[in-house]
Each structure stands twice: as structure tokens, then as C-alpha cells.
Amino acid sequence: MNATIYRRAPGPVPELPTDGVRLVRDEDHETLGRLLGDDGEAQVGWWRHFGWAHASFVAETDRVVAACLVTSSMGKVWVTYVSEVPGPAVAATIAASLRAHDSSVLAVAEEGDTVSAEMLTGLGFAAEVGDLPVLVVDGALFSDFDGFARAFTTLLDDYTWTGNLDAFNDILRGGFGTPELGWIFHWANARKSRTDLGHPAMVKWLEGILKTCHPDNRDSVRARLEAARRGEGPTLFDKIVEIIERHGPGGDEAVDNVILELR
């Protein structure tokens, strides 16, 4: 699903009722994980490492019903808000978080979620406007995975990516010179790349992984390698696309706002 990024500059915060609004406590973490949904436990774990405990609040009646978690990552400050049902409780937690610090903040509302969009607007957020910048990787300029790595490195600021896909996933979170508020990953001549990075490329990549992976993972890697040799399972192109789409609309890290265009 598409989403819109909203930004709020520092400034006065609307006064909202504060009954039941308090800072997040350690004992709230399990409840927050449930409220946040399928990947809630991971989101709370991320917040524990990078969150601002002094600016993260919950709204409580007989239980926690809404929350706003503030997280700083790669020079950006994000608010993640959640509630059992739409209403004033979640707005009150966001307002409390905004009052607890004085910095520019980002939030996300999914397309069609007019309730969240109106709530954010009422709290002083404004949708980011303008077209996203386009960064191009051209499949006509390479024919193997090493070539893709070199082409992708040209998009980065003073950093060389050598082909590790875990590092690729980290890079797409930002902080390596790509546009701060998201960008369009335009993969030109993607049909050629789909062939170049097909099952033979996957075989070569998995053979490299097999040499360095932990012994506990070797059976799994061997099984994937044998499938790739038979021309079965995902290709290396599929794997790369899957990682990119994780950071775009509908992905579990959609806040990075990386939009993949295959051309």
C-alpha cells in the first residue's frame, strides 16, 4: 500500500487532554508489541535501541490503548503511533511526544487513511510535496552481480558496496548519501538484468555464501544451491527486488520510502 510522509517543524503544540497519558515503561513493551501488529516485537526492539524514552508516551485507561514511540535513526526523527481504535487518545500521545522535544519530526500515513492524515494535519504536520528524486541503475551497463554492485555504488556518497546483501538492506535504510526522505530506484533495462541475475548468478552467489556461512546454516544453503542448479526457486534478481521492496510501499520498512521502478 502507498503511504505519505508527513513532516512537522518545531513549534507550538496544540493543547489536548492529558488524562491517562504517561511515559512508556518497561512493563508496557509486550502490550506495545501486540498493538503494533505482526512485526510489533521487532519494532519495540528497534525502539529500545534507538528510541527516545523521554519523548515516547502511552495513553492508558484500564489498559494501554494508544502509544507514540519516538525513534532517531540516520539523522531522522520518526514518530510511530498506534491505537486500538481511532480517536483522541493517540493524538494526545503524539502531542505529548512533540512537547517533549524540539526538533523536526516525520510520520507516515497510509494511502486512504484519512483519519490519520487529518489527525497529523491537526497536530501541525504537513505532507511532503514534490516529486521524489530518481536514482538510476542501468542494466545495459553490466551483465553480472559484481557489475550491479559497482552500478549501485555510484548512487552512494563516499561508500563502496561490495555485494553483501545484508549490507544492501542496511544501505536502503538511508545514511549513505541517498535522498533523506525517500527516492525512486529506477532500474532501467531490468528485463536484461532479470536474465543476467537469473539462476546461474544465484548459483554463483550461493556458492560464495556456502564458503563463509555458519556451519549451522550450511544444510539450508546447500538445499537452496541445489534448487538453483535445477533452475528452481528465486533468482538473484528476485532476491534483490525483494530486499528493495521491503523498503517501499507495503514493506515492513516502508518508512524508508524507496520506490522501485522496473523498466
Side-chain angles (χ1 to χ4, degrees), residues 59-200:
E60 185 176 52
T61 54
D62 57 334
R63 65 191 185 285
V64 172
V65 296
C68 176
L69 304 181
V70 180
T71 308
S72 178
S73 177
M74 301 295 187
K76 297 178 282 190
V77 181
W78 293 89
V79 295
T80 299
Y81 56 93
V82 62
S83 64
E84 288 187 346
V85 293
V90 68
T93 62
I94 298 173
S97 293
L98 295 173
R99 281 192 289 270
H101 61 93
D102 188 36
S103 58
S104 180
V105 211
L106 299 171
V108 173
E110 292 183 345
E111 185 176 289
D113 185 357
T114 56
V115 172
S116 292
E118 291 173 0
M119 176 189 67
L120 291 174
T121 301
L123 289 168
F125 287 81
E128 291 288 337
V129 296
D131 295 333
L132 289 175
V134 179
L135 278 63
V136 179
V137 166
D138 190 345
L141 303 180
F142 59 87
S143 58
D144 57 17
F145 185 53
D146 288 341
F148 172 78
R150 289 191 295 272
F152 182 71
T153 290
T154 65
L155 307 181
L156 309 178
D157 183 13
D158 196 28
Y159 181 82
T160 299
W161 177 58
T162 57
N164 181 290
L165 290 184
D166 288 333
F168 181 65
N169 188 51
D170 291 338
I171 289 168
L172 292 175
R173 294 190 176 106
F176 293 84
T178 53
E180 180 181 348
L181 295 177
W183 48 287
I184 295 173
F185 192 128
H186 182 94
W187 195 328
N189 293 293
R191 181 174 297 180
K192 176 178 180 295
S193 293
R194 189 183 295 274
T195 300
D196 292 338
L197 302 177
H199 283 112

Side-chain angles (χ1 to χ4, degrees), residues 175-259:
F176 293 84
T178 53
E180 180 181 348
L181 295 177
W183 48 287
I184 295 173
F185 192 128
H186 182 94
W187 195 328
N189 293 293
R191 181 174 297 180
K192 176 178 180 295
S193 293
R194 189 183 295 274
T195 300
D196 292 338
L197 302 177
H199 283 112
M202 189 64 157
V203 168
K204 183 178 179 180
W205 181 74
L206 286 169
E207 287 173 341
I209 295 296
L210 188 60
K211 294 176 183 177
T212 59
C213 70
H214 191 279
D216 291 347
N217 297 329
R218 285 177 185 159
D219 287 346
S220 172
V221 175
R222 286 192 188 100
R224 293 165 60 196
L225 178 57
E226 290 307 312
R229 285 172 174 161
R230 295 192 302 268
E232 299 173 357
T235 66
L236 192 52
F237 180 85
D238 295 333
K239 181 72 173 175
I240 294 168
V241 166
E242 177 189 357
I243 293 171
I244 298 169
E245 289 182 337
R246 189 179 303 161
H247 298 267
D252 55 11
E253 299 187 58
V255 294
D256 300 320
N257 207 30
V258 180
I259 314 298

